[in-house]
């Protein structure tokens, strides 16, 4: 009988090799700062990478995108603080072979992005600050403009001439694609499209839509839960400093934007509380007015019909004649608001920290629609 032990050993080795897990490639769309797979290696900067060198993480994933304020090749002012849509930023370079392999997919994505209500921005970067000569950056083309002319491409593009933008954005690989939501948060990133299947643009757009739908659903839920009443507005229910930090704590997950309001005495700084990543409506939910003598919030007002008051009342929908027994004629007094004659109604219990204002310069004042709801937090203890 022949000795089968060597043959059995070879067979077992072959089976083990076939069943060994294949190293995972970092070519998927990554939306959560999850631990890297065990097949990853970590470089000297602590970045986990696949066996090709692509990163499994991005420094600003789930965080605000560092500010970009530059002028594009076409002379357009690009300011990331003014992004009002979901935006994809393509970080690439003519010197990068993987970027050039992606070029046809990038051109397709840029062409399709407007129909998907997505902004697209191209950011051409050098490999590093020490490799930023014209030859090293642009090779035989000499410039991005010359390359676009030859390839027939045209989309908003910034050129980082000294790697300062690359370093500010902490780009660990080119090409890198960043998905930024309208509130300036990096919601996802990925590396090269050409290594990610047969329909990379379709797949990328589908992944973006999944993230966008989830974030917008969460935002709409927050919008629907916005409320104001005698006990406060959202989480603002007591003396609160008139600072962005204090208001972000009082309105968690909402956008807190510094603004100004014109008054008869000139412009006054205010804060606007906006729906987070609103799908369609970016009307402020609340306006926060200051009490400069104390450095605290004087009033929280709303003109937004999404914000609900006691008994479900809302601006633009509730009429003066609709008020329940919570309010009534004997709790309403004439006033002025925004230069218009109003009637301001308080709770029947005599508390004055919550008011409803109705215009009276109408043909039927009793049928006028609610104009504003206001919460007045208590002042600091004396």
């Amino acid at each position: 009988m022949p000795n089968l032990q060597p043959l059995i050993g070879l067979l077992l080795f072959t089976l083990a090799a076939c069943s060994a897990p294949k190293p995972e490639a970092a070519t998927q769309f990554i939306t959560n700062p999850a631990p890297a797979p065990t097949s990853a290696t970590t470089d000297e900067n602590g970045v986990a990478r696949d066996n090709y060198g692509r990163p499994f993480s991005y420094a600003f994933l789930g965080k605000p995108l560092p500010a970009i304020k530059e002028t594009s090749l076409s002379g357009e002012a690009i300011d990331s603080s003014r992004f009002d849509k979901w935006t994809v930023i393509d970080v690439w370079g003519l010197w990068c072979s993987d970027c050039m392999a992606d070029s046809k997919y990038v051109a397709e994505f840029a062409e399709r992005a407007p129909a998907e209500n997505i902004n697209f921005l191209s950011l051409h970067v050098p490999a590093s600050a020490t490799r930023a000569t014209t030859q090293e950056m642009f090779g035989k083309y000499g410039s991005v403009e010359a390359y676009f002319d030859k390839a027939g491409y045209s989309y908003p593009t910034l050129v980082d001439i000294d790697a300062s933008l690359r370093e500010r954005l902490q780009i660990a690989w080119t090409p890198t694609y960043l998905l930024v939501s309208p509130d300036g948060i990096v919601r996802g990133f990925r590396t090269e499209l050409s290594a990610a299947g047969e329909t990379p643009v379709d797949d990328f757009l589908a992944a973006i839509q999944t993230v966008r739908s989830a974030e917008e659903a969460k935002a709409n839920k927050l919008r629907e839960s916005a409320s104001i009443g005698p006990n406060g507005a959202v989480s603002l229910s007591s003396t609160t400093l008139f600072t962005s930090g204090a208001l972000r704590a009082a309105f968690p997950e909402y956008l807190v934007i510094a603004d100004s309001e014109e008054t008869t005495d000139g412009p006054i700084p205010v804060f606007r509380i906006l729906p987070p990543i609103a799908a369609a409506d970016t009307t402020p939910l609340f306006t926060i007015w200051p009490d400069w003598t104390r450095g605290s919030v004087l009033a929280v007002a709303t003109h937004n019909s999404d914000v609900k008051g006691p008994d479900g009342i809302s601006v633009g929908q509730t009429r003066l004649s609709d008020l329940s027994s919570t309010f009534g004629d004997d709790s309403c007094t004439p006033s002025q608001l925004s230069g218009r004659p109003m009637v301001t109604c308080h709770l029947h219990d005599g508390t004055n920290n919550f008011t409803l204002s109705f215009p009276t310069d109408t043909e039927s004042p009793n049928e006028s629609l609610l104009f504003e709801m206001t919460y007045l937090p208590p002042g600091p203890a004396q």
Side-chain angles (χ1 to χ4, degrees), residues 23-26 28 34-41 48-50 56:
E24 187 173 336
Q28 70 273 33
T38 55
S39 60
T41 57
R49 300 178 182 270
D50 66 13
F56 283 100

Side-chain angles (χ1 to χ4, degrees), residues 122-151:
S122 159
L123 175 55
H124 185 283
V125 299
S128 68
T130 59
R131 296 172 58 189
T133 66
T134 298
Q135 177 61 35
E136 288 171 320
M137 286 182 66
F138 309 118
K140 64 181 181 180
Y141 298 103
S143 68
V144 173
E145 294 97 322
Y147 167 68
F148 279 178
D149 286 343
K150 183 176 179 61

Side-chain angles (χ1 to χ4, degrees), residues 320 323 327-335 342-348 356-358 360 366:
L320 182 57
L323 293 184
F327 297 86
D329 291 340
D330 59 345
S331 64
C332 300
T333 57
S335 65
M342 296 274 175
V343 58
T344 297
C345 303
H346 300 269
L347 291 172
H348 265 318
L356 306 181
S357 297
F358 295 84
T360 55
N366 199 46

Side-chain angles (χ1 to χ4, degrees), residues 12 15 27 30 58-59 65 92 104 118 126 128 160 208 222 227 259 265 275 297 310 334 337 353 373 375 378:
L12 290 174
L15 290 173
T27 57
I30 299 172
Y58 175 58
L65 177 77
W92 67 291
K104 63 181 180 180
I118 296 172
S128 68
D160 178 16
I208 290 172
L222 283 170
S227 63
D259 198 3
D265 297 322
V297 172
L337 186 64
N353 68 329
M373 291 189 285
Y375 168 68

